[in-house]
Amino acid sequence: MLYRLYDKVILQYPRWTLFIVLIMIGLVGLYAPKLQIDASAKTLILEHDKDLQYAREIQARYHTPDFLVITYTPKTTLLSKQSLETIKALSQKLEALEMVTSVTSILNVPLLQSPSKPVKELLENIPTIEGGAVDKTLAKKEFLKSPIYQKNLVSEDFKTTAILVNLKEDSTLSHDMQREKEHQNIKDIRAIMIEHSQEGELFLGGVSMIADDMISYVRSDLFVYGMTVIFLMIMVLWIVFRQMRYVVLPIFIAALSVLTTCGLLGMFGWQVTVISSNFVSLQIIITMSIIIHLIVRYRELLYTYPHASHHNIILDTVLSMAKPSFFAVITTIAGFSSLIVSDILPVINLGWMMSAGISLSLLIAFLVFPTVMILLPKRAPMTLFEHKFSLIRVYAYIALHYTKTIYVVSFLIVIFSVTGGMRLLVENSFIDYFKTSTPIYQGMKIIDQKLGGTTPLDVIYDLDTSEVVTEELLDEDEEFDSFEEEFAQSENEAKYWFTPVKMQKIQAIHDYLKSLPEVGNVQSLATILEVGRVLNKGKELDNFELALLYNELPGEFKKSLFSPYVSIEENQVRFAMRIVDSQEGLRRNELILKIKRDLAAMPNIKGEKIHLSNLMILYNNMLRSLFDSQIKTLGIMIAALTLMFFFLFKSFKLAFIAMVANIIPISTVFGLMGWVGIPLDMMTITIAAISIGIGVDDTIHYIHRYSVEIAKDGDYTAALQRSHESIGYAMYYTTFAIMIGFSVLVLSNFLPTIYFGLLTVFAVFMALTADLLLLPRLILVLKPFKV
């Protein structure tokens, strides 16, 4: 059937075939501009994570809207006239932006201790620097000593301050419109910062800023990867083949494949993430591999049968390569498809995207290559590179004469891989994902090291509902009567909620969290209690004074001092921590388990009432799943490939040989990561699947060619030499092209992508070496072919 399709249709009507293919690709390609990029926090979390729903509930309950942070380190002192004028000018310009609701800075935060006053008197007029009549010496002392502001709003050395830019939420906007507005808003904020860059050092931070910058990186990577890979491929193709047709045609087919894939992704609304941003370079590389095998076979037939008709040579090329190419692509798809069993959505999407993309590459290559070649004049190949290049012959010589060396080295590689794999870690710092030259790293570093940490972690405590205020807790005196009058118009239960027992529990939890070296800053109701003691001359605020603060504090101050930490309706409190992400030796999971364990062991604290939430929990869940995901993907991939090898070769021996030749070299990646200290992350988790998927391509082509050569004379040694001298060159060319292609990833600003590129280069090199040394050696020993 395939013979008739190519002989009677495709090669008989090449112009019509090519025209129809190009029209269909063009129609699909119209959707390519609709391909969207997503770098939001949800790309760092697990699919179906039960902690995600809880985190959303807590965020809604305590209303923690999105904000950006500008760190400002002036050339003069923080409270100098020039510095305050700069902050004021920045604030005014920022507040004029459409997406900004307000700006919080040292200018407008409440100063509760400058000077200290009784609670009732303080509530009558809460001072701020902006409001004037504030002693700056007392204000500086409060900023540095107050638990509300120290290592939060100002640094310990009082040289850097944070300016919080509170962002507007608009639920009526679509996701794409919201993203565009956020991008423009960040662009406008940076423009304002540039205007004042001469007055001090300014850096921008915040979740939405990180997401926006990462989208810019992904867009840049998509373009840079694609263009650089194409440029390098042109160089490689020219060096190897020295004929323009073998340079232009592979690039043309690769471009068509990428355009079609982008069009399909845009058509179905799929989004590119940081993890899948390298799909363009991946598809170009794999498409090149398919085309190079076709070119090498075509040139081989042309060289062997110079007088055969062009039609027959192309027909023989396509038919002889159809089966190995099909199974090579199927096994590559199996490698990528194994990513689908991961619990991490971007990894799952990469598996689907590449599976679809590789399928399209195979189809387009086997349609466009023969139709274009039949339209070109028959021309003798230039074999200068093959004649001068001797490495393939060296591989063949080693495979034939260094049996013990191959086995010993393979055994040592297994030992290296196992011991290194046992050292593999999943701990990694988000700040270390980026190059030190990027604005993301620079902003996060200052916030992390000077302003109390970057990664948010919440402890939520459900207070005991059986705890009620009894008459014994209330003093029947004049003070009680006066407060009763003050609360006569209030219908809420605040005055009965702030009991001494609750406050003691809250203070104990807060003090414990504050003592942890990994915690940069803790904010909770206990922060107010601490300030209250200062205001009350060392005595604790009683329940009525706390209720007075809660009810009478002006709305803008209550939103920052009480609302984020207390839910009277839910009888619940929140402790908002920030973890120092750059701390040496940070172990997130151990820290989370320690907090749960230590809090549960505290007197009068019920462990089941403690819940941990926010981004650190979600990120840690993702990291914890990496080991499980890696085991699942590897297990499924090995099982699937073994079955495919058996189905393809109809031999247990050959299936075993093929798997050994692939597993041993790929395992070295994990050994290397473990010994060098490269952690497992969302990018490196995909290396095994991708590398084996690419590696089995050469394995299948080699075994298929060996089976053809052994059938000629039954001589295993001669078959090895002939296989190396023919398919060996195609394997080398494709591997060389793949290594060049993946090396482009070092240009990324995202360090996991750089590690991914370098480790994949190492993996495919090891796979080629195994296919040209270990694979033929095992074939010689086990003799799986019937002769």
Side-chain angles (χ1 to χ4, degrees), residues 500-520:
V501 174
K502 285 180 181 175
M503 298 308 106
Q504 288 170 9
K505 289 183 180 181
I506 291 168
Q507 187 67 60
I509 294 173
H510 182 97
D511 290 344
Y512 164 74
L513 297 174
K514 191 176 178 181
S515 70
L516 296 171
E518 299 89 347
V519 176

Side-chain angles (χ1 to χ4, degrees), residues 498 503 528-529 541-550 562:
F498 292 96
M503 298 308 106
I528 304 300
L529 298 178
L541 292 176
D542 61 31
N543 55 313
F544 293 109
E545 289 169 320
L546 281 168
L548 179 64
L549 268 174
Y550 182 82
F562 275 98

Side-chain angles (χ1 to χ4, degrees), residues 182-193:
E182 287 175 355
H183 174 70
Q184 186 59 47
N185 188 52
I186 290 167
K187 193 175 177 181
D188 293 340
I189 289 172
R190 282 188 164 138
I192 293 170
M193 291 168 62

Side-chain angles (χ1 to χ4, degrees), residues 11-29:
L11 295 180
Q12 286 292 335
Y13 305 100
R15 288 183 175 82
W16 276 108
T17 303
L18 187 61
F19 176 75
I20 293 169
V21 169
L22 293 179
I23 288 295
M24 293 180 68
I25 290 174
L27 292 174
V28 174

Side-chain angles (χ1 to χ4, degrees), residues 302-345:
L302 202 59
Y303 184 79
T304 308
Y305 306 105
H307 301 297
S309 71
H310 201 197
H311 178 102
N312 288 339
I313 288 175
I314 294 172
L315 182 62
D316 195 0
T317 298
V318 173
L319 295 179
S320 62
M321 295 304 297
K323 185 178 179 181
S325 295
F326 174 77
F327 278 100
V329 166
I330 289 296
T331 50
T332 304
I333 290 172
F336 280 107
S337 297
S338 65
L339 300 176
I340 296 168
V341 302
S342 171
D343 294 320
I344 305 166
L345 185 59

Side-chain angles (χ1 to χ4, degrees), residues 632-647:
K632 282 193 294 185
T633 55
L634 278 174
I636 290 174
M637 182 172 53
I638 290 170
L641 292 180
T642 303
L643 288 174
M644 285 185 178
F645 282 142
F646 176 72
F647 177 75

Side-chain angles (χ1 to χ4, degrees), residues 17 99 102 110 158 173 256 272 293 323 325 372 403 455 520 577 633 762:
T17 303
M99 291 293 290
S102 62
F158 206 64
L173 294 176
L256 292 179
V272 176
H293 276 288
K323 185 178 179 181
S325 295
V372 172
T403 305
T455 309
M577 295 178 285
T633 55
F762 173 74

